Amino acid sequence: MVRVHVVVHGRVQAVGFRFGARVEAQRLGVSGWVRNRSDGAVQAEIEGEPAAVDRMLAWLDEGPPGAEVTALTTTDLSPAGDHGFRVEA
């Protein structure tokens, strides 16, 4: 298991990004959370098998239709044992 913290920059709010991320995370079987930041970015923590986390990062780098991702910053973390994926306010 691996865990990463991700910050997604660009036009990523008000385009269904968080809810799309939840759907994709559930499809891939990864856990963690996603939320908007006050600076207009979206941040998330993703945990799971390395290949599934890589696929989730690839999705985050594109986002849902209407999003325009300009940068993706990741930081490796220690796994926390999360279960499920949630959208935070």
Side-chain angles (χ1 to χ4, degrees):
M1 297 294 256
V2 298
R3 186 178 186 93
V4 294
H5 179 264
V6 185
V7 179
V8 186
H9 297 275
R11 190 168 152 256
V12 294
Q13 291 189 15
V15 294
F17 202 100
R18 293 175 299 151
F19 298 99
R22 181 179 61 194
V23 168
E24 186 67 8
Q26 291 170 337
R27 187 183 75 77
L28 293 172
V30 297
S31 60
W33 53 264
V34 63
R35 68 176 163 233
N36 286 339
R37 292 179 14 157
S38 61
D39 64 359
V42 168
Q43 69 179 354
E45 288 191 8
I46 312 298
E47 182 172 327
E49 295 297 327
V53 170
D54 286 346
R55 286 192 296 277
M56 186 67 194
L57 291 173
W59 186 92
L60 291 170
D61 197 30
E62 294 292 322
E68 293 177 18
V69 176
T70 59
L72 191 76
T73 306
T74 63
T75 306
D76 292 334
L77 302 171
S78 297
D82 277 353
H83 296 285
F85 193 89
R86 66 193 180 278
V87 174
E88 296 186 343

